[in-house]
Amino acid sequence: MEIRTLRYFLAVAREENMTRAAEFLHVTQPTLSKALKSLEEELGKQLFTRRSFCIRLTDEGMLLRNRAEDLVSMADKIEQEFVSLDDITGGELYFGLAESYQIKFLARAIRDFKKNYPNLHYHITSGDTEQVADKMDKGLLDFLVLAELPDSRKYEYIEFPESDKWGLVVPTNDPFSQKEHITINELKNSPLFCSDQAWNNEIKKWAGNDFGDLRLEGSFRLSYNGSIFASEGLGYLLTFDKLVNTSDGSGLVFIPLYPVLETKLYISWNRHQAFTPIAERFLKHLKTSFESKIPILQ
């Protein structure tokens, strides 16, 4: 199975049309059709359902698409790493990021680093721990930002300078909007939005024995989407401060939890990772940028 064939397959899966995929790939349609037929024969499975005006993936095709995306991404990353070995002014860096206002510290470090390495290009994948850690473990990322303590058996890491404060995002016309803080008793039986990860970890620990009285209305990976549902009166969003717009005129208010609940943020990397030269230089720069505030943990 060749990487080129997987690129062909992904193009057809994305376009759902053989002609458009062939045009995108700059190959003839017979060449593309032959490659996909050979792929199906090699795997012994039908990957597409061919209809009059479109091509759809079978269940086997959807499974291959998930695997092929990772394989092609890995191949691209390897190629770029070798191309950049002799580039003393730049290269490629891959980050997996949790949501936090503290990402500004990473952005500033990249900004300052680019002054000396103007040809640096960086690629950002955002998501919760499950999403980004999976890509890290597959070797698709150089650095991982987590809103939980990394596994020290697998990762080395640096703690971000500040902490993220938890609270409730509510509409401005809601009775909760006038409160200075929200307690566990006030949240009981209220419709709540939260990420599954935080609900089963930070919120569960914070609520203690009262956790069973909390009601998860719906789960969201992205706080912005949850805030839209909250603004429409469907429930209240449990999230970090400063992730969604709660300024005057936004229609939303952020109210801190009480007792105070805070989460630390960490940037980590694999203990036995073979860094490219640009990644090694950036890590050194990052340590210098952060170490004056918080020590490196290993």
Side-chain angles (χ1 to χ4, degrees):
M1 188 183 304
E2 297 181 354
I3 292 295
R4 180 182 61 182
T5 304
L6 293 179
R7 294 187 194 278
Y8 288 178
F9 165 78
L10 289 174
V12 175
R14 181 179 62 252
E15 299 294 335
E16 297 185 340
N17 182 280
M18 194 72 71
T19 300
R20 289 199 300 269
E23 291 174 352
F24 173 80
L25 294 165
H26 303 292
V27 300
T28 65
Q29 188 168 327
T31 297
L32 182 56
S33 298
K34 182 179 179 180
L36 294 181
K37 183 178 180 181
S38 296
L39 181 59
E40 288 182 318
E41 291 175 350
E42 180 181 356
L43 295 175
K45 298 292 183 181
Q46 182 179 348
L47 302 174
F48 296 98
T49 299
R50 293 159 176 83
R51 300 178 181 177
S52 299
F53 300 102
C54 68
I55 298 175
R56 296 291 173 82
L57 290 175
T58 63
D59 290 343
E60 293 81 3
M62 287 188 283
L63 174 62
L64 178 61
R65 180 183 61 187
N66 294 336
R67 300 291 186 267
E69 287 173 345
D70 285 341
L71 288 171
V72 170
S73 295
M74 176 61 75
D76 290 341
K77 188 172 185 293
I78 291 171
E79 290 176 5
Q80 291 164 356
E81 285 175 345
F82 275 84
V83 168
S84 65
L85 286 178
D86 297 324
D87 185 355
I88 62 173
T89 63
E92 309 287 330
L93 289 178
Y94 293 80
F95 298 89
L97 306 182
E99 282 193 301
S100 168
Y101 83 96
Q102 291 195 80
I103 296 300
K104 67 181 182 181
F105 294 113
L106 176 62
R108 291 170 184 172
I110 293 174
R111 178 197 63 197
D112 294 340
F113 188 70
K114 277 183 67 69
K115 294 176 182 178
N116 294 322
Y117 300 96
N119 290 329
L120 170 70
H121 301 283
Y122 46 93
H123 310 269
I124 305 298
T125 298
S126 297
D128 60 20
T129 298
E130 180 182 357
Q131 290 174 310
V132 293
D134 180 63
K135 290 185 177 295
M136 184 71 160
D137 293 340
K138 290 177 179 177
L140 299 175
L141 302 175
D142 297 309
F143 299 99
L144 182 63
V145 174
L146 297 173
E148 62 180 53
L149 187 66
D151 184 347
S152 60
R153 296 169 299 178
K154 296 170 58 178
Y155 305 119
E156 296 182 50
Y157 53 91
I158 304 172
E159 188 177 292
F160 272 70
E162 299 176 5
S163 297
D164 283 276
K165 181 179 292 186
W166 282 90
L168 199 68
V169 173
V170 306
T172 52
N173 60 0
D174 190 273
F176 278 164
S177 66
Q178 303 303 313
K179 293 184 173 295
E180 294 184 2
H181 55 250
I182 295 290
T183 66
I184 183 65
N185 288 330
E186 292 170 313
L187 289 183
K188 289 180 179 179
N189 298 315
S190 295
L192 302 174
F193 300 128
C194 189
S195 71
D196 286 326
Q197 175 189 332
W199 182 259
N200 293 306
N201 289 280
E202 289 101 326
I203 300 303
K204 186 175 184 178
K205 293 177 182 177
W206 176 77
N209 294 333
D210 294 316
F211 180 69
D213 294 325
L214 298 183
R215 177 161 66 91
L216 184 64
E217 175 75 9
S219 61
F220 289 87
R221 290 183 184 270
L222 299 176
S223 291
Y224 175 78
N225 289 343
S227 72
I228 298 299
F229 278 63
S231 68
E232 295 298 328
L234 291 170
Y236 305 117
L237 175 64
L238 285 163
T239 188
F240 291 161
D241 192 11
K242 303 174 184 175
L243 280 190
V244 297
N245 181 16
T246 57
S247 61
D248 291 343
S250 68
L252 296 171
V253 176
F254 178 87
I255 305 150
L257 297 183
Y258 185 83
V260 173
L261 175 62
E262 294 183 329
T263 295
K264 298 297 297 185
L265 201 68
Y266 306 86
I267 183 163
S268 61
W269 57 96
N270 279 324
R271 276 193 169 276
H272 307 294
Q273 185 159 329
F275 276 132
T276 60
I278 194 67
E280 287 183 349
R281 296 185 191 111
F282 179 73
L283 179 56
K284 182 178 180 181
H285 171 78
L286 193 65
K287 288 178 178 179
T288 301
S289 177
F290 279 29
E291 69 184 0
S292 61
K293 301 176 182 178
I294 296 176
I296 300 169
L297 304 177
Q298 297 186 2

